[in-house]
Amino acid sequence: MSDNRFFNTHRPWEDWLGMLLGVLIMVSPWFPMQVSGAVDIERSHLVLNSFIVGMLVLGIAQLEYVALHRWEEVASILLGIWLMASPMVLGYAEDHALQFWHILLGALVAFIGALQLWQDWNLSEQELAKHPQ
């Protein structure tokens, strides 16, 4: 019989994974698989978008590690969705490598946020305050 509690409890490694994803998002414009290596003025908006989204994901994951609140998980989900949509919205969908990375990283951020929200949905504010570090 399998132990289903593994996915029912918000664990600190999930917050560490969120921090790692934030760092990866920040450096994603410079991943080595990029076709265009130079960042020019036309690509500055996508670098700025990656940096801001990455910093927000990193910061929210750090907040979740210290003090757990449901709004942090909702914000992670929204940031993940924005990162997945940003190649189409900001017009860099023709850069297929960066589009792939942003969709993949955004999906992981949204998935981790949804998993954590599901894990913490029925917890009271007192139980959220006792989140292990």
Side-chain angles (χ1 to χ4, degrees):
M1 188 123 188
S2 67
D3 188 12
N4 198 13
R5 290 182 301 160
F6 181 76
F7 291 110
N8 289 336
T9 304
H10 187 138
R11 302 196 188 276
W13 68 264
E14 296 167 356
D15 302 327
W16 282 102
L17 179 60
M19 289 181 233
L20 175 66
L21 289 172
V23 171
L24 289 175
I25 292 166
M26 282 190 287
V27 299
S28 64
W30 297 284
F31 280 174
M33 288 184 240
Q34 293 296 116
V35 175
S36 55
V39 176
D40 54 6
I41 194 70
E42 293 146 4
R43 290 176 48 97
S44 63
H45 66 285
L46 69 95
V47 172
L48 183 62
N49 179 59
S50 299
F51 184 76
I52 290 172
V53 171
M55 284 297 293
L56 289 172
V57 169
L58 175 66
I60 288 172
Q62 288 174 339
L63 284 174
E64 283 185 273
Y65 185 72
V66 175
L68 194 58
H69 299 285
R70 286 186 191 92
W71 69 264
E72 297 161 344
E73 290 135 356
V74 172
S76 292
I77 295 168
L78 293 175
L79 285 169
I81 292 170
W82 166 252
L83 190 63
M84 288 187 292
S86 62
M88 283 66 79
V89 173
L90 298 178
Y92 62 94
E94 66 278 350
D95 189 348
H96 297 295
L98 189 59
Q99 179 186 16
F100 168 77
W101 283 111
H102 279 186
I103 289 173
L104 176 68
L105 292 170
L108 288 172
V109 169
F111 174 75
I112 292 294
L115 176 65
Q116 291 172 340
L117 184 62
W118 178 68
Q119 291 167 338
D120 301 336
W121 188 259
N122 292 324
L123 298 180
S124 67
E125 293 299 321
Q126 293 80 18
E127 291 170 323
L128 287 174
K130 295 177 190 176
H131 175 62
Q133 298 174 1

